[in-house]
Amino acid sequence: MPQIRPIRDLKNTTEISNLCHEVREPIFITKNGYGDMVIMSMETFEKSNFLNNLYDKLAIAEADLKAGRVSDIDVAISDIRKQYDL
């Protein structure tokens, strides 16, 4: 369940930091009752960033597959061996 906190809670940095590490998901900060910021731990950010990059690469691979831009594994390995003199 998402954590939503008012901006005044940011005064207690230790509590917010601990909460970021405990919930392991973004915390939404409101100002005057409206969404203003999102904060998270470095670990959560890195995981989210990794997954976004992975999903982007999978989307590219899926588009290549649909467009027929694929090759046989034996041909691909042979090309790599030739390219790097293996």
Side-chain angles (χ1 to χ4, degrees), residues 20-21 39-49:
C20 284
H21 292 283
I39 59 173
M40 63 183 83
S41 69
M42 287 298 294
E43 295 85 6
T44 302
F45 174 77
E46 288 171 354
K47 179 181 176 184
S48 176
N49 203 29

Side-chain angles (χ1 to χ4, degrees), residues 6-65:
I7 199 164
R8 69 176 172 270
D9 284 3
L10 293 179
K11 290 179 183 178
N12 189 346
T13 56
T14 302
E15 179 185 330
I16 291 294
S17 176
N18 290 339
L19 183 62
C20 284
H21 292 283
E22 287 172 14
V23 299
R24 295 184 177 158
E25 62 183 28
I27 298 173
F28 299 90
I29 305 298
T30 61
K31 183 176 181 181
N32 298 325
Y34 295 96
D36 187 50
M37 294 185 283
V38 178
I39 59 173
M40 63 183 83
S41 69
M42 287 298 294
E43 295 85 6
T44 302
F45 174 77
E46 288 171 354
K47 179 181 176 184
S48 176
N49 203 29
F50 171 80
L51 289 174
N52 285 335
N53 287 334
L54 178 63
Y55 295 145
D56 288 345
K57 289 176 182 177
L58 287 172
I60 291 168
E62 192 172 87
D64 283 345
L65 185 61

